[in-house]
Amino acid sequence: MNPNLDVVIRTVDLSVSANVYEFYESLQQYQIETWINNAGIGSFASVGEQNLKRMESMLHLHIEALTVLSTLYVRDYANVEGSQIINISSGGGYQIVGNAVTYCATKFYVSAFSEGLAQELKDKGAVMRVKVLAPASTETEFIKRALDLEEFHYKGVVPKYHTAKEMDGFMLELYDSEKVVGIVNEKTYDFELRDPIYPYASRTRS
Amino acid sequence: MNPNLDVVIRTVDLSVSANVYEFYESLQQYQIETWINNAGIGSFASVGEQNLKRMESMLHLHIEALTVLSTLYVRDYANVEGSQIINISSGGGYQIVGNAVTYCATKFYVSAFSEGLAQELKDKGAVMRVKVLAPASTETEFIKRALDLEEFHYKGVVPKYHTAKEMDGFMLELYDSEKVVGIVNEKTYDFELRDPIYPYASRTRS
């Protein structure tokens, strides 16, 4: 830990729309170099069996909060040298997985929104960079919370996964890179830095 | 118009979450053979310049209402012979377009959710079919409303488009087909019936 860092922690439920605006407003005093939308929740059930309340919280958090915060940050920092947005998607933002269809659809949104925003800003000659990180299984509290378990251990249960520390390293590689997408290859579990994956068409309004 | 049809029209603002549940409840007296999520709004602006209130309405309508209504219909009808969901996506659900990034991201969600649900239900042996229609430019009130214009004429302005009547025909082709995706080819403007486009991995929970 760098002793010169002044770490400020705020606890906010970003699945509640009003909190999202309030949270962004409350940061006006800071100069923010990098904005990372990392908050997410898992939801593993078939569409018919999914808990609707949990599903709606997931939509608000993964989609609405991420879009509002990205938009506000772009408004304030699009032309500030060195500014970046890194949005956390998932391998599920590029491949749909059964019994996690709604979760994956939210991550398709995150991938398309982030890749699109990255390219839209480049089209405009803005200096801000936008990137998207797509992890596969990573050893965090994600599964424990998604399945409401007392505890959950990855070792010996999840066939392949990265540790949170490994994922931190991948995030830094993406941060330092000129590429837009940092994605874990589902087969090899290697981390790959890539150009945008989804097709994009520029359009300038007259 | 078929004189034997009893057409019932309900006007509901589905961008308001409570209305969505109330609307579905209010249909309990009917046997519903096909559920079409067609409501949508356009939003054309760069991410930084988009109107946040309009953007949030779009997220609620394209994503939240569609997901809640699809889920409730699946719960009631997954095993009813002949039942179908047809969700209306867009060419923008398969290709991101600059100055319509958030709109396209919502349609990526619709495409991934619908393709995923179609395959999840097949995996389970359910009889319900789920399909996704992806139009390109179609002569409706979509642009007029998206751009808040008094009037808008497609002829002579939009280089290529289908009429609403043509799109109705494509919808019927998709309805009658065993394919999951009905999409307008962006280059030829031909309508194509296709298998799911996004990669999908089955997963059965133990």
Side-chain angles (χ1 to χ4, degrees), chain A residues 17 21 44-53 55-56 59-60 63-64 67-68 70-72 74-75 94-102 104-106 108-117 119-120 123-124 147 198-205, chain B residues 17 21 44-53 55-56 59-60 63-64 67-68 70-72 74-75 94-102 104-106 108-117 119-120 123-124 147 198-205:
Chain A
S17 181
Y21 290 92
F44 301 111
S46 69
V47 168
E49 289 162 334
Q50 68 187 336
N51 177 306
L52 286 170
K53 213 170 140 52
M55 180 275 281
E56 294 203 18
L59 297 184
H60 296 160
I63 293 179
E64 199 166 330
T67 308
V68 169
S70 298
T71 302
L72 295 173
V74 166
R75 286 186 185 170
Y94 295 92
Q95 168 172 275
I96 310 162
V97 179
N99 283 327
V101 167
T102 310
C104 291
T106 68
F108 267 70
Y109 178 98
V110 173
S111 295
F113 176 77
S114 307
E115 290 192 8
L117 176 56
Q119 292 171 96
E120 188 176 84
D123 283 355
K124 290 179 191 296
L147 301 177
Y198 290 126
Y200 175 84
S202 295
R203 192 169 62 189
T204 356
R205 269 192 307 166
Chain B
S17 181
Y21 289 93
F44 302 110
S46 70
V47 168
E49 290 162 334
Q50 68 187 338
N51 177 307
L52 286 171
K53 214 170 139 53
M55 180 276 281
E56 294 203 18
L59 298 184
H60 295 160
I63 293 179
E64 200 166 329
T67 307
V68 170
S70 298
T71 302
L72 295 173
V74 165
R75 286 186 185 171
Y94 295 93
Q95 170 173 273
I96 309 162
V97 179
N99 284 328
V101 166
T102 310
C104 291
T106 68
F108 268 71
Y109 178 98
V110 173
S111 295
F113 176 77
S114 307
E115 290 193 7
L117 176 55
Q119 291 172 96
E120 188 176 83
D123 282 355
K124 291 179 189 297
L147 301 178
Y198 289 126
Y200 175 85
S202 295
R203 192 169 61 188
T204 358
R205 271 194 306 168

Side-chain angles (χ1 to χ4, degrees), chain B residues 72-135:
Chain B
L72 295 173
Y73 184 73
V74 165
R75 286 186 185 171
D76 288 345
Y77 290 90
N79 293 307
V80 177
E81 195 64 49
S83 62
Q84 288 200 36
I85 295 175
I86 303 181
N87 286 334
I88 311 305
S89 181
S90 162
Y94 295 93
Q95 170 173 273
I96 309 162
V97 179
N99 284 328
V101 166
T102 310
Y103 174 83
C104 291
T106 68
K107 294 303 192 174
F108 268 71
Y109 178 98
V110 173
S111 295
F113 176 77
S114 307
E115 290 193 7
L117 176 55
Q119 291 172 96
E120 188 176 83
L121 288 174
K122 271 184 200 164
D123 282 355
K124 291 179 189 297
V127 298
M128 180 186 289
R129 291 289 168 261
V130 177
K131 297 169 183 175
V132 54
L133 182 73

Side-chain angles (χ1 to χ4, degrees), chain A residues 12-57:
Chain A
V12 187
D13 181 355
L14 295 173
S15 74
V16 178
S17 181
N19 293 353
V20 176
Y21 290 92
E22 212 172 87
F23 173 59
Y24 189 83
E25 295 295 317
S26 79
L27 304 174
Q28 290 298 331
Q29 55 180 307
Y30 300 108
Q31 181 68 21
I32 300 169
E33 196 195 30
T34 305
W35 187 280
I36 302 175
N37 285 301
N38 177 55
I41 53 175
S43 182
F44 301 111
S46 69
V47 168
E49 289 162 334
Q50 68 187 336
N51 177 306
L52 286 170
K53 213 170 140 52
R54 186 183 181 87
M55 180 275 281
E56 294 203 18
S57 292

